[in-house]
Amino acid sequence: MTQLTDSRPTEPPRVFRVLDWVLDRSVVLGYSRIGHAVRRRWWDDDVPAGMLKGRHVLITGATSGIGLAAAAALGRLGAVVHVLGHDRDHLERSLERLRVEVPDGDYVSEVCDISDLEDVRRFGHDLAQRVTDLHALVHNAGTMARERTETAEGHEVTVATHVLGPFLLTHLLHEPLAHGDGGRVVFTSSGGMYAAALRDDDPDYGEDGYSGPKAYARTKRMQVVLAETLAERLAGDRIVVHSMHPGWVDTRGVSRYLTVFRAATLPFMRSPDQGADTLVWLVASPRGAQQSGSFWHDRRPRPTSYGRARQQTPTQVARLWEYCTEATRDSKGSP
Ligand SMILES: NC(=O)c1ccc[n+]([C@@H]2O[C@H](COP(=O)([O-])OP(=O)(O)OC[C@H]3O[C@@H](n4cnc5c(N)ncnc54)[C@H](OP(=O)(O)O)[C@@H]3O)[C@@H](O)[C@H]2O)c1
């Protein structure tokens, strides 16, 4: 974990820390709306309106669910929000909704398929020309596949969407992110990543017995490891990198891919606004400039594994980096 400034967060009272720990370990209580309702009683650092006035923020997967709620919140804070979607119609409908919900919001429409590395390359180069000072890049686009699906470049779609596209886009936007006092990168990972160890030996999930939820958990683990590695590598440019998980949030993604889970947890699920809270706070609050490389939930850093079983070795981390670097090279060998 990289500490970029000397200012340390004030510790909440012990009673809160114990309660917070119990909520986290119970999973059901912590990830549900109960966790959010209890923890928010101790939050004393809400971000004032106008905090992001004129700052550019790019958020992927911002056409529904958590991303759409985050785009609304960031617009209310005064940011110029670059709303990225891959389906032009869906994107336009979402922008219409945002402009009604946040009439003063400044929204820019951005079309790109994050799983398509050629498209990411086109978009990244284009945005870097248009925006020279990028305050934050939020990798929020997410998917789950029912059966193993490959992108045009031959990558399993979940790893392409959650890992390779974000890796390449972060690289292409390095200059605008490093501008001025440095930008922030946030990955929307998932608590599901606790169920998976880092798989550096088969990142494209070519082995038999493909499972969509397993591929999802593996790639969400990769995001957390990648955020830690990027935090170390980008610290010299004053770019901070976080990963976070939103808890259990009632979104289209969940109703599409996790029907049984949704039916069982619906009364306790968070709203998209509640799920987006930590992400928005990391982008906007002064605390988001600290503790680079951490994995957050409900505005506090969380362990990335419990026990030793799912901890990765330095060799595995290096192999993930190598895989991302190789997979995102273009035909001329450059990223
Ligand atoms: N909901 C939860 O309980 C939960 C829990 C943990 C983590 N998460 C994470 O939160 C993030 C947001 O998910 P959500 O629950 O809000 O689901 P969602 O409503 O389905 O949102 C997913 C977003 O990603 C977009 N997207 C998918 N593939 C894309 C691609 N190739 N290029 C560009 N955009 C793409 C979708 O656009 P289209 O709709 O147009 O396809 C949509 O805007 C995901 O990363 C997910 O893994 C969610």
Side-chain angles (χ1 to χ4, degrees):
M1 196 172 72
T2 315
Q3 190 78 33
L4 289 178
T5 75
D6 286 339
S7 57
R8 299 285 195 278
T10 43
E11 270 297 301
R14 186 176 152 73
V15 61
F16 168 77
R17 282 182 277 137
V18 172
L19 194 52
D20 181 60
W21 186 90
V22 172
L23 288 169
D24 204 44
R25 296 308 188 275
S26 73
V27 178
V28 177
L29 295 174
Y31 289 24
S32 67
R33 58 170 64 236
I34 298 166
H36 182 270
V38 172
R39 288 168 173 142
R40 71 190 300 274
R41 300 172 75 91
W42 275 275
W43 292 341
D44 57 0
D45 54 353
D46 276 334
V47 182
M51 184 72 179
L52 293 175
K53 191 81 199 144
R55 312 300 303 265
H56 289 261
V57 176
L58 168 65
I59 173 157
T60 73
T63 51
S64 74
I66 295 163
L68 184 64
L74 292 164
R76 281 188 206 103
L77 291 172
V80 181
V81 187
H82 296 257
V83 177
L84 186 146
H86 61 148
D87 178 310
R88 204 174 281 274
D89 289 343
H90 193 190
L91 179 59
E92 287 317 314
R93 285 200 307 278
S94 307
L95 280 162
E96 266 171 40
R97 200 172 140 181
L98 282 169
R99 287 175 180 137
V100 170
E101 245 181 73
V102 192
D104 297 337
D106 194 346
Y107 293 105
V108 185
S109 167
E110 308 285 4
V111 184
C112 175
D113 181 342
I114 284 297
S115 71
D116 177 338
L117 300 178
E118 266 316 299
D119 203 29
V120 172
R121 206 167 275 117
R122 170 204 58 79
F123 169 71
H125 284 303
D126 173 52
L127 191 76
Q129 297 285 317
R130 287 185 280 128
V131 177
T132 52
D133 185 354
L134 184 61
H135 172 72
L137 163 59
V138 182
H139 297 302
N140 173 76
T143 193
M144 195 184 280
R146 293 206 167 78
E147 56 192 45
R148 189 175 183 283
T149 314
E150 284 191 0
T151 63
E153 284 123 341
H155 296 292
E156 189 275 325
V157 70
T158 326
V159 80
T161 309
H162 298 160
V163 181
L164 296 177
F167 177 88
L168 179 58
L169 191 55
T170 307
H171 176 82
L172 296 168
L173 296 178
H174 177 268
E175 218 172 297
L177 281 167
H179 192 274
D181 55 359
R184 305 177 188 185
V185 178
V186 182
F187 286 84
T188 309
S189 179
S190 164
M193 74 97 196
Y194 283 117
L198 182 66
R199 288 296 298 267
D200 58 307
D201 53 335
D202 184 20
D204 276 293
Y205 211 144
E207 74 193 44
D208 286 347
Y210 180 86
S211 142
K214 249 193 202 173
Y216 178 85
R218 284 182 184 195
T219 53
K220 291 290 169 182
R221 164 70 69 182
M222 286 182 200
Q223 289 187 318
V224 173
V225 175
L226 199 55
E228 289 174 344
T229 313
L230 283 166
E232 277 175 30
R233 288 179 173 253
L234 300 178
D237 301 312
R238 300 186 65 78
I239 298 171
V240 295
V241 187
H242 303 288
S243 58
M244 54 75 66
H245 83 85
W248 296 340
V249 188
D250 188 19
T251 63
R252 245 165 59 115
V254 172
S255 56
R256 194 187 295 165
Y257 300 114
L258 298 170
T259 330
V260 176
F261 171 78
R262 181 173 183 267
T265 57
L266 189 57
F268 308 103
M269 286 186 111
R270 295 175 178 217
S271 68
D273 286 340
Q274 292 168 339
D277 175 83
T278 297
L279 182 171
V280 172
W281 177 80
L282 285 169
V283 168
S285 85
R287 284 283 311 282
Q290 301 172 15
Q291 291 174 279
S292 188
S294 300
F295 176 56
W296 301 78
H297 175 56
D298 281 346
R299 302 192 187 189
R300 280 176 70 77
R302 306 289 166 183
T304 54
S305 51
Y306 293 104
R308 289 176 160 211
R310 299 204 170 91
Q311 281 175 8
Q312 53 281 343
T313 64
T315 310
Q316 286 181 303
V317 175
R319 283 177 63 172
L320 174 65
W321 187 265
E322 217 171 278
Y323 161 73
C324 291
T325 310
E326 287 309 314
T328 55
R329 281 193 204 290
D330 70 7
S331 52
K332 296 186 206 98
S334 25

